[in-house]
Amino acid sequence: LDGRVRSIRMPAEDARGPCWARYLAQLLWEKEELQLQLDSHMRFVPGWDSKARAELNFCSKTSEKPILCSYGAGYSLGTPYWETP
């Protein structure tokens, strides 16, 4: 992806939990205009990027530095994205 995606890889036994992993991911930020941080258990609906930009544009009307955040709903493998298990 032409250097637009950065990652950190390590053996599982060196991991210190999700909060530490998110901290490490934040260290990869290089002053990009937008940043997307996600976990391996997340999945996306069609058009997620357009929906996120529309939400960001809406929030930009009242905030100089809007932040979109979410905790995705759980799902079972094989469940279509439009169904909630």
Side-chain angles (χ1 to χ4, degrees):
L1 295 172
D2 303 323
R4 294 179 291 164
V5 175
R6 291 181 293 282
S7 65
I8 298 172
R9 298 180 67 108
M10 70 180 64
E13 58 271 10
D14 292 344
R16 297 183 189 167
C19 293
W20 182 71
R22 288 183 186 102
Y23 162 75
L24 291 179
Q26 290 172 357
L27 295 177
L28 298 175
W29 181 65
E30 295 181 355
K31 301 189 186 310
E32 292 86 358
E33 179 184 359
L34 299 173
Q35 177 190 15
L36 175 65
Q37 190 176 98
L38 50 97
D39 294 322
S40 61
H41 62 274
M42 299 176 111
R43 63 182 184 169
F44 300 92
V45 297
W48 69 268
D49 51 342
S50 298
K51 293 174 184 179
R53 282 202 178 256
E55 184 87 14
L56 188 62
N57 288 336
F58 177 78
C59 293
S60 295
K61 295 176 184 177
T62 57
S63 176
E64 291 182 28
K65 296 182 179 182
I67 297 174
L68 303 180
C69 61
S70 174
Y71 193 85
Y75 68 93
S76 300
L77 289 177
T79 304
Y81 67 86
W82 59 86
E83 291 183 15
T84 303

